Amino acid sequence: MNLISKDDLIFIAGASGMVGSAIKKELNNRGYNKLLIPTREELNLLFANSVEEWFKKNKPNIVIIAAAKVGGIYANNNFPADFILENIKIQTNIIESSWKNNVKRLLFLGSSCIYPKYSPQPIKEEYLLSKELEITNEPYAIAKIAGLKLCAALKKQYQFDALSLMPTNLYGPGDNYHENNSHVLPALIRKFHNAKINNNPEVNCWGSGSAKREFLHVSDLAKATIFVLEKISSDNKFLYDEKSNYLGYLNIGTGADISIKELAEKISKEFKYQGKINWDTSKPDGTPRKLLDVSKINTLGWKSQIPIDKGIADAIESFLNESRNNLLRF
């Protein structure tokens, strides 16, 4: 028995972004066609009154929060106030209006950056707030922690059916390929594409290349999102810790990681680039390693399906198609 139905009105906040558009596509593929996807002109998520009025008028049954201000190390480091202010406003406005307007189920998408910089590996859900955060993305992480804690508090105090997913590093169609403001995988795709077409003899990459990261294709996250909405109650035992405290969130990832150097080499090979790869160690590596423990979601019945090599090939194909059609986000 599914916990959501094809008759539910489903609001996807952030439906135009990489994650939101993947979720929209997957919902449509499964026959969920009653989707609420307002434009930014119709609904500005930064303004509480606007969000409240929209909820009263449109009455969604299910809410998926994929809207967020996101970016890589450079963006997080240089615009910390923007990241904490905008993300707290967006998520708080949506979560509070969902609760006040009797939404049936709410799913909040967070990020694996919520975990401490030096977490034991792989990172279990229970490691949250056990040590200090990575300083380069601390404001964004704090905003995401606030979002998942708000969901958990509303569940505890009012039995509001809210739960959260913490995906690892995402990539895929619709990604942001800005040279400085994007995440590492799309940034490398752009670097090696430009080097290939311009016959550049070398490519300069940030950091030492030794940091290790886990990467999840966005279509895998979309499938996980719908799986949890359909099958996993907020009363599920895996959403509680050993002391019966409600955590309210699950890790979503592949369970495998690679070094940034290996990632660069894979992307370079996919483009058939023959030049030299330089590593600029004056730039930060960020967290040394970030591998999620995905045993809970795996035990519940979901596993990622797209291996990294296939995912990179798909991401590059999407990049080239979007480039030809002038759809890239820079």
Side-chain angles (χ1 to χ4, degrees), residues 189-313:
I189 287 177
R190 181 179 179 184
K191 278 180 181 286
F192 283 102
H193 170 261
N194 289 349
K196 176 69 175 180
I197 63 174
N198 293 319
N199 293 314
N200 294 339
E202 53 189 42
V203 169
N204 295 316
C205 298
W206 278 28
S208 66
S210 63
K212 302 190 79 173
R213 292 292 182 270
E214 177 183 15
F215 295 96
L216 180 72
H217 195 281
V218 70
S219 66
D220 266 343
L221 174 61
K223 291 179 173 65
T225 298
I226 299 168
F227 170 80
V228 169
L229 282 171
E230 289 182 337
K231 305 297 184 185
I232 309 303
S233 164
S234 57
D235 292 324
N236 191 284
K237 66 179 182 179
F238 284 102
L239 293 167
Y240 291 78
D241 66 16
E242 294 178 351
K243 297 180 180 179
S244 298
N245 296 311
Y246 185 67
L247 298 175
Y249 55 94
L250 293 165
N251 288 338
I252 305 294
T254 64
D257 60 2
I258 63 172
S259 71
I260 301 303
K261 182 178 180 181
E262 290 176 277
L263 178 67
E265 290 169 349
K266 285 180 181 292
I267 293 172
S268 173
K269 183 178 179 181
E270 195 67 30
F271 277 113
K272 296 181 172 59
Y273 176 70
Q274 300 296 318
K276 182 182 178 182
I277 302 175
N278 298 320
W279 293 95
D280 183 357
T281 55
S282 70
K283 298 294 193 299
D285 279 329
T287 304
R289 191 184 187 199
K290 193 168 62 174
L291 175 65
L292 296 183
D293 184 323
V294 292
S295 57
K296 287 186 177 181
I297 191 67
N298 288 172
T299 301
L300 287 167
W302 178 88
K303 290 185 178 180
S304 65
Q305 299 296 314
I306 302 175
I308 187 67
D309 288 336
K310 182 178 184 301
I312 288 173

Side-chain angles (χ1 to χ4, degrees), residues 16-275:
S16 63
M18 176 178 70
V19 174
S21 59
I23 292 172
K24 175 181 177 290
K25 179 180 179 181
E26 188 65 26
L27 283 167
N28 285 152
N29 289 343
R30 299 190 189 197
Y32 292 96
N33 296 312
K34 293 186 175 182
L35 307 182
L36 297 173
I37 303 174
T39 65
R40 186 166 296 183
E41 290 72 29
E42 294 170 325
L43 175 60
N44 190 325
L45 297 173
L46 291 170
F47 296 101
N49 289 340
S50 173
V51 176
E52 178 69 15
E53 289 303 313
W54 185 90
F55 266 80
K56 286 179 180 178
K57 179 180 178 181
N58 293 277
K59 298 179 172 55
N61 307 115
I62 309 298
V63 172
I64 302 169
I65 306 178
K69 181 176 179 62
V70 298
I73 288 178
Y74 175 88
N76 276 274
N77 227 2
N78 285 276
F79 309 104
D82 294 349
F83 276 88
I84 193 166
L85 271 174
E86 292 188 28
N87 283 301
I88 285 179
K89 286 179 180 179
I90 290 168
Q91 65 204 28
T92 302
N93 291 342
I94 299 171
I95 295 167
E96 185 175 12
S97 286
S98 296
W99 164 59
K100 285 182 176 179
N101 288 276
N102 302 310
V103 163
K104 185 169 76 173
R105 302 212 80 195
L106 179 142
L107 191 144
F108 171 65
L109 291 169
S111 166
S112 60
C113 73
I114 65 167
Y115 293 113
K117 180 175 182 176
Y118 296 110
S119 280
Q121 304 289 319
I123 305 170
K124 297 180 182 292
E125 285 88 347
E126 291 81 0
Y127 295 165
L128 179 66
L129 298 177
S130 59
K131 296 179 182 178
E132 69 272 12
L133 297 165
E134 160 59 40
I135 194 65
T136 56
N137 60 12
E138 184 183 69
Y140 178 75
I142 287 173
K144 287 297 183 180
I145 292 169
L148 73 88
K149 288 295 185 181
L150 176 56
C151 289
L154 288 169
K155 164 66 177 176
K156 180 179 179 180
Q157 187 172 346
Y158 297 106
Q159 288 304 300
F160 180 55
D161 191 357
L163 64 165
S164 306
L165 301 183
M166 297 301 123
T168 190
N169 300 281
L170 299 169
Y171 68 99
D175 213 336
N176 173 16
Y177 296 94
H178 191 280
E179 188 173 5
N180 292 322
N181 295 341
S182 60
H183 290 108
V184 60
L185 195 150
L188 289 173
I189 287 177
R190 181 179 179 184
K191 278 180 181 286
F192 283 102
H193 170 261
N194 289 349
K196 176 69 175 180
I197 63 174
N198 293 319
N199 293 314
N200 294 339
E202 53 189 42
V203 169
N204 295 316
C205 298
W206 278 28
S208 66
S210 63
K212 302 190 79 173
R213 292 292 182 270
E214 177 183 15
F215 295 96
L216 180 72
H217 195 281
V218 70
S219 66
D220 266 343
L221 174 61
K223 291 179 173 65
T225 298
I226 299 168
F227 170 80
V228 169
L229 282 171
E230 289 182 337
K231 305 297 184 185
I232 309 303
S233 164
S234 57
D235 292 324
N236 191 284
K237 66 179 182 179
F238 284 102
L239 293 167
Y240 291 78
D241 66 16
E242 294 178 351
K243 297 180 180 179
S244 298
N245 296 311
Y246 185 67
L247 298 175
Y249 55 94
L250 293 165
N251 288 338
I252 305 294
T254 64
D257 60 2
I258 63 172
S259 71
I260 301 303
K261 182 178 180 181
E262 290 176 277
L263 178 67
E265 290 169 349
K266 285 180 181 292
I267 293 172
S268 173
K269 183 178 179 181
E270 195 67 30
F271 277 113
K272 296 181 172 59
Y273 176 70
Q274 300 296 318

